[in-house]
Amino acid sequence: MKTKVICPGSFDPVTLGHIDIITRASKMFDHVVVGVLNNLAKTPSFSTEERIELLREATRDLDNIEIVGFDGLLADYTRQRGITAIVKGLRAVSDFEYEFQQALINKKLNSDLETLFLTCSSDYMYLSSSIVKQVAALGGDISSFVPACVHDRILERLGTSK
Ligand code: PNS
């Protein structure tokens, strides 16, 4: 049986940390769905369509990847699509509590669904979309944080282009 997994997130915007996890998942599983979702606890800076577009561009070299956006519960979507596992990156102990809670809730909502964690690469331990937004807004260099092919588009939106 082919393995189909999902890497969900808000990707607002995509970072090199996300690309690291998606690339590694694409080597381990037959098909990787990248789910661009709205985290109700956050107000996005990029529309869902923009986030999908940036991810498409940044993953164009990977051929077993599908980028989708949807509303509603991840647990329902995975059931409809026959997705067996959620794959997420764990940066540090500070991520663990939140991620563990989500994994347990998703399991409660869909008992067939597993959550797998990949330890993030040490290069990206510190990286998050919110840090990228802050650095860009204050005129800092984000070139080592986001994929080169979408750097300019991200910078255009986030603030001061230098
Ligand atoms: O990148 P993020 O913001 O940490 O991703 C969180 C996300 C979008 C994966 C999470 O909020 C989510 O799964 N949202 C979809 C709605 C849902 O299923 N919520 C219940 C589980 S938390």
Side-chain angles (χ1 to χ4, degrees):
M1 195 180 88
K2 295 208 169 209
T3 50
K4 196 194 287 182
V5 300
I6 188 164
C7 292
S10 10
F11 303 105
D12 186 47
V14 61
T15 69
L16 288 174
H18 296 132
I19 297 299
D20 173 50
I21 297 296
I22 293 168
T23 304
R24 286 159 58 201
S26 81
K27 290 180 186 153
M28 295 167 67
F29 302 102
D30 296 312
H31 188 75
V32 177
V33 178
V34 179
V36 180
L37 309 179
N38 286 319
N39 181 338
L40 296 183
K42 299 176 183 169
T43 306
S45 303
F46 294 82
S47 69
T48 306
E49 292 67 32
E50 287 169 328
R51 288 180 270 151
I52 290 175
E53 184 51 40
L54 294 174
L55 269 159
R56 287 222 168 101
E57 185 69 32
T59 57
R60 65 191 315 172
D61 295 341
L62 304 171
D63 57 12
N64 58 341
I65 298 277
E66 175 191 1
I67 318 282
V68 298
F70 59 91
D71 292 319
L73 287 171
L74 185 54
D76 290 339
Y77 183 80
T78 49
R79 194 183 288 111
Q80 285 154 19
R81 291 285 316 266
I83 292 169
T84 48
I86 295 168
V87 176
K88 295 205 87 178
L90 259 193
R91 282 168 302 194
V93 179
S94 51
D95 278 347
F96 182 75
E97 203 172 331
Y98 170 69
E99 293 297 346
F100 194 59
Q101 182 188 34
Q102 285 191 62
L104 291 177
I105 289 188
N106 284 320
K107 187 77 179 165
K108 194 86 184 159
L109 295 170
N110 176 356
S111 59
D112 295 328
L113 189 59
E114 300 296 340
T115 299
L116 309 174
F117 293 111
L118 296 183
T119 45
C120 88
S121 149
S122 56
D123 291 342
Y124 307 123
M125 283 288 285
Y126 58 88
L127 194 52
S128 68
S129 298
S130 13
I131 287 288
V132 169
K133 287 195 252 192
Q134 281 191 44
V135 173
L138 297 171
D141 178 8
I142 58 165
S143 56
S144 55
F145 304 155
V146 299
C149 58
V150 292
H151 170 273
D152 290 357
R153 265 188 283 167
I154 290 176
L155 200 58
E156 249 168 54
R157 165 58 57 86
L158 290 180
T160 62
S161 9
K162 292 209 297 186

Short mmCIF file of all heavy atoms in Angstrom, two decimals, residues 7-12 18 35-42 51 70-76 86 88 91 98-99 101-103 105-106 109 129, ligand 1:
data_model
loop_
_atom_site.label_atom_id
_atom_site.label_comp_id
_atom_site.label_asym_id
_atom_site.label_seq_id
_atom_site.Cartn_x
_atom_site.Cartn_y
_atom_site.Cartn_z
N CYS A 7 1.69 17.11 5.83
CA CYS A 7 2.45 18.09 6.63
C CYS A 7 1.55 19.32 6.75
O CYS A 7 1.43 20.09 5.78
CB CYS A 7 3.75 18.50 5.93
SG CYS A 7 4.98 17.21 5.81
N PRO A 8 0.87 19.50 7.88
CA PRO A 8 -0.03 20.64 8.00
C PRO A 8 0.65 21.84 8.66
O PRO A 8 1.62 21.67 9.42
CB PRO A 8 -1.12 20.09 8.93
CG PRO A 8 -0.37 19.17 9.84
CD PRO A 8 0.81 18.63 9.07
N GLY A 9 0.15 23.02 8.39
CA GLY A 9 0.70 24.19 9.07
C GLY A 9 0.07 25.44 8.54
O GLY A 9 -0.73 25.40 7.59
N SER A 10 0.39 26.58 9.16
CA SER A 10 -0.12 27.83 8.60
C SER A 10 0.82 28.38 7.53
O SER A 10 0.37 29.12 6.66
CB SER A 10 -0.39 28.90 9.68
OG SER A 10 0.08 28.58 10.93
N PHE A 11 2.10 28.07 7.58
CA PHE A 11 3.05 28.47 6.53
C PHE A 11 2.90 29.95 6.18
O PHE A 11 2.72 30.30 5.02
CB PHE A 11 2.87 27.61 5.26
CG PHE A 11 3.01 26.14 5.50
CD1 PHE A 11 1.90 25.30 5.54
CD2 PHE A 11 4.26 25.57 5.71
CE1 PHE A 11 2.02 23.94 5.77
CE2 PHE A 11 4.40 24.20 5.95
CZ PHE A 11 3.28 23.39 5.97
N ASP A 12 2.98 30.79 7.17
CA ASP A 12 2.66 32.22 6.99
C ASP A 12 3.85 33.11 7.33
O ASP A 12 3.81 33.80 8.35
CB ASP A 12 1.45 32.55 7.87
CG ASP A 12 0.95 33.96 7.66
OD1 ASP A 12 0.79 34.36 6.49
OD2 ASP A 12 0.73 34.67 8.65
N HIS A 18 10.42 24.74 7.27
CA HIS A 18 9.31 23.97 6.68
C HIS A 18 9.81 23.12 5.52
O HIS A 18 9.45 21.94 5.39
CB HIS A 18 8.21 24.90 6.14
CG HIS A 18 7.51 25.73 7.17
ND1 HIS A 18 7.32 27.09 7.01
CD2 HIS A 18 6.96 25.41 8.36
CE1 HIS A 18 6.65 27.56 8.06
NE2 HIS A 18 6.43 26.55 8.90
N GLY A 35 -0.65 20.66 3.77
CA GLY A 35 -1.95 21.29 4.05
C GLY A 35 -1.76 22.69 4.60
O GLY A 35 -1.21 22.87 5.68
N VAL A 36 -2.23 23.67 3.84
CA VAL A 36 -2.13 25.06 4.27
C VAL A 36 -3.45 25.41 4.97
O VAL A 36 -4.50 25.50 4.32
CB VAL A 36 -1.87 26.00 3.07
CG1 VAL A 36 -1.78 27.44 3.53
CG2 VAL A 36 -0.60 25.57 2.35
N LEU A 37 -3.38 25.55 6.28
CA LEU A 37 -4.59 25.71 7.08
C LEU A 37 -4.58 27.04 7.81
O LEU A 37 -3.54 27.69 7.90
CB LEU A 37 -4.67 24.60 8.13
CG LEU A 37 -4.49 23.18 7.63
CD1 LEU A 37 -4.56 22.21 8.77
CD2 LEU A 37 -5.59 22.87 6.65
N ASN A 38 -5.74 27.38 8.33
CA ASN A 38 -5.79 28.56 9.18
C ASN A 38 -5.73 28.12 10.62
O ASN A 38 -6.51 27.27 11.06
CB ASN A 38 -7.05 29.37 8.90
CG ASN A 38 -6.92 30.10 7.58
OD1 ASN A 38 -5.85 30.65 7.29
ND2 ASN A 38 -7.97 30.08 6.79
N ASN A 39 -4.77 28.68 11.34
CA ASN A 39 -4.68 28.46 12.79
C ASN A 39 -5.54 29.55 13.41
O ASN A 39 -5.23 30.75 13.28
CB ASN A 39 -3.21 28.59 13.22
CG ASN A 39 -3.03 28.36 14.70
OD1 ASN A 39 -3.97 28.50 15.47
ND2 ASN A 39 -1.82 28.00 15.08
N LEU A 40 -6.64 29.15 14.03
CA LEU A 40 -7.61 30.14 14.53
C LEU A 40 -7.02 31.05 15.60
O LEU A 40 -7.57 32.11 15.90
CB LEU A 40 -8.87 29.44 15.03
CG LEU A 40 -9.66 28.67 13.96
CD1 LEU A 40 -10.93 28.06 14.54
CD2 LEU A 40 -10.00 29.55 12.76
N ALA A 41 -5.87 30.65 16.15
CA ALA A 41 -5.23 31.48 17.17
C ALA A 41 -4.36 32.58 16.55
O ALA A 41 -3.80 33.41 17.26
CB ALA A 41 -4.38 30.60 18.08
N LYS A 42 -4.21 32.58 15.21
CA LYS A 42 -3.30 33.55 14.57
C LYS A 42 -4.03 34.29 13.46
O LYS A 42 -4.91 33.73 12.80
CB LYS A 42 -2.11 32.82 13.94
CG LYS A 42 -1.24 32.03 14.90
CD LYS A 42 -0.16 31.28 14.10
CE LYS A 42 0.71 30.39 14.97
NZ LYS A 42 1.56 29.48 14.17
N ARG A 51 -0.08 31.82 0.32
CA ARG A 51 0.76 30.84 1.03
C ARG A 51 0.93 29.58 0.18
O ARG A 51 2.01 29.00 0.12
CB ARG A 51 0.14 30.52 2.40
CG ARG A 51 0.28 31.68 3.37
CD ARG A 51 -0.33 31.36 4.71
NE ARG A 51 -1.73 31.73 4.79
CZ ARG A 51 -2.64 31.12 5.55
NH1 ARG A 51 -2.29 30.08 6.27
NH2 ARG A 51 -3.87 31.53 5.58
N PHE A 70 -7.44 24.04 2.87
CA PHE A 70 -8.82 23.67 3.19
C PHE A 70 -9.21 24.24 4.53
O PHE A 70 -8.36 24.55 5.37
CB PHE A 70 -9.02 22.15 3.17
CG PHE A 70 -8.15 21.39 4.14
CD1 PHE A 70 -8.59 21.12 5.43
CD2 PHE A 70 -6.89 20.95 3.77
CE1 PHE A 70 -7.80 20.43 6.31
CE2 PHE A 70 -6.09 20.25 4.66
CZ PHE A 70 -6.54 19.99 5.93
N ASP A 71 -10.54 24.38 4.73
CA ASP A 71 -11.06 24.81 6.02
C ASP A 71 -11.57 23.57 6.75
O ASP A 71 -11.78 22.54 6.14
CB ASP A 71 -12.23 25.78 5.82
CG ASP A 71 -11.74 27.09 5.20
OD1 ASP A 71 -10.68 27.57 5.61
OD2 ASP A 71 -12.44 27.59 4.30
N GLY A 72 -11.78 23.69 8.00
CA GLY A 72 -12.33 22.57 8.75
C GLY A 72 -11.26 21.79 9.47
O GLY A 72 -10.11 22.22 9.56
N LEU A 73 -11.66 20.65 9.98
CA LEU A 73 -10.76 19.87 10.83
C LEU A 73 -9.79 19.03 10.01
O LEU A 73 -10.17 18.36 9.04
CB LEU A 73 -11.57 18.93 11.73
CG LEU A 73 -12.34 19.58 12.88
CD1 LEU A 73 -13.27 18.56 13.54
CD2 LEU A 73 -11.36 20.17 13.91
N LEU A 74 -8.56 19.03 10.47
CA LEU A 74 -7.53 18.18 9.87
C LEU A 74 -7.94 16.71 9.98
O LEU A 74 -7.74 15.93 9.04
CB LEU A 74 -6.23 18.45 10.65
CG LEU A 74 -4.95 17.80 10.19
CD1 LEU A 74 -4.67 18.10 8.74
CD2 LEU A 74 -3.79 18.28 11.07
N ALA A 75 -8.54 16.35 11.09
CA ALA A 75 -8.93 14.95 11.31
C ALA A 75 -9.96 14.50 10.26
O ALA A 75 -9.93 13.35 9.80
CB ALA A 75 -9.52 14.80 12.71
N ASP A 76 -10.87 15.41 9.86
CA ASP A 76 -11.88 15.05 8.85
C ASP A 76 -11.25 14.96 7.46
O ASP A 76 -11.53 14.05 6.69
CB ASP A 76 -13.00 16.11 8.82
CG ASP A 76 -13.86 16.05 10.08
OD1 ASP A 76 -13.85 15.00 10.75
OD2 ASP A 76 -14.50 17.06 10.39
N ILE A 86 0.06 12.34 10.15
CA ILE A 86 0.47 13.75 10.13
C ILE A 86 1.97 13.75 10.40
O ILE A 86 2.43 13.05 11.31
CB ILE A 86 -0.24 14.52 11.27
CG1 ILE A 86 -1.75 14.54 11.04
CG2 ILE A 86 0.32 15.93 11.42
CD1 ILE A 86 -2.53 15.03 12.27
N LYS A 88 5.07 16.27 11.41
CA LYS A 88 5.39 17.63 11.86
C LYS A 88 6.83 17.71 12.33
O LYS A 88 7.41 16.71 12.76
CB LYS A 88 4.46 18.04 13.00
CG LYS A 88 3.01 18.14 12.57
CD LYS A 88 2.21 19.08 13.43
CE LYS A 88 2.28 20.50 12.94
NZ LYS A 88 1.47 21.41 13.74
N ARG A 91 10.93 21.52 16.97
CA ARG A 91 12.17 22.31 17.09
C ARG A 91 12.82 22.14 18.45
O ARG A 91 14.00 21.95 18.56
CB ARG A 91 11.87 23.80 16.86
CG ARG A 91 11.71 24.14 15.41
CD ARG A 91 11.15 25.50 15.24
NE ARG A 91 9.86 25.60 15.91
CZ ARG A 91 8.99 26.58 15.74
NH1 ARG A 91 9.30 27.56 14.94
NH2 ARG A 91 7.85 26.59 16.37
N TYR A 98 2.50 21.91 22.99
CA TYR A 98 1.50 22.31 22.00
C TYR A 98 1.30 21.21 20.96
O TYR A 98 0.16 20.83 20.63
CB TYR A 98 1.98 23.62 21.37
CG TYR A 98 1.21 24.09 20.16
CD1 TYR A 98 -0.09 24.56 20.29
CD2 TYR A 98 1.81 24.11 18.90
CE1 TYR A 98 -0.78 25.01 19.17
CE2 TYR A 98 1.13 24.56 17.78
CZ TYR A 98 -0.17 25.01 17.92
OH TYR A 98 -0.84 25.44 16.82
N GLU A 99 2.39 20.66 20.48
CA GLU A 99 2.30 19.63 19.44
C GLU A 99 1.69 18.34 20.00
O GLU A 99 0.93 17.66 19.32
CB GLU A 99 3.69 19.33 18.86
CG GLU A 99 4.31 20.48 18.08
CD GLU A 99 3.50 20.87 16.84
OE1 GLU A 99 2.61 20.10 16.41
OE2 GLU A 99 3.76 21.97 16.30
N GLN A 101 -0.45 18.14 22.45
CA GLN A 101 -1.88 18.40 22.61
C GLN A 101 -2.62 18.22 21.29
O GLN A 101 -3.65 17.56 21.20
CB GLN A 101 -2.09 19.82 23.14
CG GLN A 101 -3.53 20.16 23.39
CD GLN A 101 -3.73 21.64 23.72
OE1 GLN A 101 -3.01 22.50 23.20
NE2 GLN A 101 -4.68 21.93 24.56
N GLN A 102 -2.06 18.80 20.21
CA GLN A 102 -2.70 18.67 18.90
C GLN A 102 -2.74 17.21 18.46
O GLN A 102 -3.73 16.76 17.89
CB GLN A 102 -1.94 19.48 17.86
CG GLN A 102 -2.19 20.96 18.00
CD GLN A 102 -1.63 21.69 16.80
OE1 GLN A 102 -2.04 21.48 15.67
NE2 GLN A 102 -0.67 22.54 17.04
N ALA A 103 -1.65 16.49 18.70
CA ALA A 103 -1.59 15.08 18.29
C ALA A 103 -2.68 14.28 19.01
O ALA A 103 -3.38 13.46 18.39
CB ALA A 103 -0.22 14.50 18.59
N ILE A 105 -5.50 15.45 20.32
CA ILE A 105 -6.83 15.86 19.86
C ILE A 105 -7.14 15.24 18.51
O ILE A 105 -8.23 14.71 18.28
CB ILE A 105 -6.93 17.40 19.80
CG1 ILE A 105 -6.94 17.93 21.22
CG2 ILE A 105 -8.15 17.84 19.01
CD1 ILE A 105 -7.21 19.36 21.40
N ASN A 106 -6.15 15.27 17.62
CA ASN A 106 -6.37 14.68 16.30
C ASN A 106 -6.63 13.18 16.40
O ASN A 106 -7.45 12.63 15.66
CB ASN A 106 -5.18 14.98 15.37
CG ASN A 106 -5.22 16.43 14.90
OD1 ASN A 106 -6.29 16.96 14.59
ND2 ASN A 106 -4.08 17.08 14.85
N LEU A 109 -10.17 12.70 17.50
CA LEU A 109 -11.14 12.99 16.44
C LEU A 109 -11.09 11.97 15.31
O LEU A 109 -12.05 11.78 14.58
CB LEU A 109 -10.88 14.39 15.88
CG LEU A 109 -11.09 15.56 16.86
CD1 LEU A 109 -10.58 16.86 16.27
CD2 LEU A 109 -12.57 15.68 17.22
N SER A 129 7.96 31.24 11.38
CA SER A 129 7.39 32.26 10.50
C SER A 129 7.27 33.59 11.24
O SER A 129 7.49 34.66 10.66
CB SER A 129 6.00 31.83 10.02
OG SER A 129 6.08 30.65 9.26
O1 PNS B 1 1.87 26.17 11.72
P1 PNS B 1 0.90 26.10 12.87
O2 PNS B 1 0.17 27.42 13.04
O3 PNS B 1 1.50 25.62 14.15
O4 PNS B 1 -0.18 24.99 12.43
C1 PNS B 1 -1.29 24.67 13.26
C2 PNS B 1 -2.36 23.95 12.41
C3 PNS B 1 -2.81 24.85 11.26
C4 PNS B 1 -1.78 22.65 11.86
C5 PNS B 1 -3.55 23.63 13.37
O5 PNS B 1 -4.05 24.83 13.89
C6 PNS B 1 -4.66 22.87 12.66
O6 PNS B 1 -4.56 21.66 12.48
N1 PNS B 1 -5.73 23.57 12.22
C7 PNS B 1 -6.82 22.95 11.50
C8 PNS B 1 -8.09 22.88 12.37
C9 PNS B 1 -8.03 21.68 13.30
O7 PNS B 1 -8.07 20.53 12.89
N2 PNS B 1 -7.96 21.97 14.62
C10 PNS B 1 -7.94 20.94 15.65
C11 PNS B 1 -6.55 20.38 15.92
S1 PNS B 1 -5.50 21.57 16.66
#
